[in-house]
Amino acid sequence: GAVVSQHPSRVICKSGTSVKIECRSLDFQATTMFWYRQFPKKSLMLMATSNEGSKATYEQGVEKDKFLINHASLTLSTLTVTSAHPEDSSFYICSAGGPGETQYFGPGTRLLVL
Amino acid sequence: AQSVSQHNHHVILSEAASLELGCNYSYGGTVNLFWYVQYPGQHLQLLLKYFSGDPLVKGIKGFEAEFIKSKFSFNLRKPSVQWSDTAEYFCAVRLSGGYNKLIFGAGTRLAVHP
């Protein structure tokens, strides 16, 4: 139980385009979801906390107009990287608050911006 | 600001050796503590967690961790490691209660040689 999926698993896009990443809790409802960025050989950096039906809370230094987060239902949150640039290339991971007050993580999405 | 430090960035062990990975946090209030593992090419999985009660917590795959409040520590242990334990291990802290954000340590990369 407590499975979180992400789609796509990897995406390559051109500089200037927008990319949408989906995060779904498959077997539980999640009022709270989180979006992280993981740099090579580094830890996870929290980007924002997403609550169903309300605006996301962004961490300091994260541009909310660049990283649009929508949490429209209890099982789906989306992260849209707008006007992507090569420096946005990274591994994006979502998690969902699930059973036992525990975060369950998705498999991640590798974004490469050319 | 709260922070989590993991003392060892890389650990190399032979099979059957004992393992202890250090984790210290800085926060004076009540916290929830987690250890996550990330096997090569896989997503983060919960190893164990501590919310309250017995400070010695047992997790999956023979891992355990001990919460020592006076030392602000939550070290991870396994008496005898296997090659399949090769992975990256992350300690995380959350301010107590609900789905507050996790603060991750930098991670420890463990390599177990046969």
Side-chain angles (χ1 to χ4, degrees), chain B residues 37 62 68 73 79 109:
Chain B
V37 60
I68 303 179
S73 71
R109 194 173 292 271

Side-chain angles (χ1 to χ4, degrees), chain A residues 71-88:
Chain A
H71 192 162
S73 79
L74 289 172
T75 58
L76 173 64
S77 177
T78 60
L79 168 68
T80 301
V81 184
T82 62
S83 186
H85 291 285
E87 58 266 30
D88 299 324

Side-chain angles (χ1 to χ4, degrees), chain A residues 20-40:
Chain A
K20 181 187 282 189
I21 302 169
E22 292 185 349
C23 176
R24 293 181 186 274
S25 57
L26 298 185
D27 50 4
F28 64 99
Q29 294 184 328
T31 55
T32 306
M33 290 184 170
F34 302 85
W35 287 96
Y36 296 84
R37 226 177 134 165
Q38 187 177 29
F39 295 95

Side-chain angles (χ1 to χ4, degrees), chain B residues 6-9 24 26 48 53-55 61 65 67-68 71 87 92-93 96-97 106 109 111:
Chain B
Q6 292 182 238
H7 316 300
N8 314 100
H9 295 296
N24 285 86
S26 65
L48 47 77
D54 188 344
K61 305 188 181 188
F67 170 52
I68 303 179
K71 295 185 177 180
V93 172
S96 179
R109 194 173 292 271

Side-chain angles (χ1 to χ4, degrees), chain A residues 16-114:
Chain A
T17 61
S18 295
V19 174
K20 181 187 282 189
I21 302 169
E22 292 185 349
C23 176
R24 293 181 186 274
S25 57
L26 298 185
D27 50 4
F28 64 99
Q29 294 184 328
T31 55
T32 306
M33 290 184 170
F34 302 85
W35 287 96
Y36 296 84
R37 226 177 134 165
Q38 187 177 29
F39 295 95
K41 299 184 180 180
K42 297 272 188 181
S43 187
L44 283 76
M45 182 194 81
L46 179 66
M47 299 174 65
T49 302
S50 157
N51 289 296
E52 188 264 339
S54 63
K55 289 184 179 180
T57 303
Y58 290 81
E59 294 299 300
Q60 193 172 12
V62 178
E63 298 176 60
K64 62 180 181 181
D65 294 329
K66 179 166 189 60
F67 298 100
L68 300 179
I69 291 171
N70 183 273
H71 192 162
S73 79
L74 289 172
T75 58
L76 173 64
S77 177
T78 60
L79 168 68
T80 301
V81 184
T82 62
S83 186
H85 291 285
E87 58 266 30
D88 299 324
S89 297
S90 192
F91 196 54
Y92 293 88
I93 303 174
C94 75
S95 72
E101 292 186 47
T102 299
Q103 285 187 35
Y104 294 89
F105 286 80
T109 296
R110 189 163 300 281
L111 170 64
L112 177 61
V113 184
L114 302 176

Side-chain angles (χ1 to χ4, degrees), chain A residues 43 59 98 100-103 106, chain B residues 36 43 49 94 98-99 101 105:
Chain A
S43 187
E59 294 299 300
E101 292 186 47
T102 299
Q103 285 187 35
Chain B
Y36 283 89
H43 62 282
K49 63 185 179 184
R94 180 181 71 192
Y99 292 113
K101 63 183 181 183

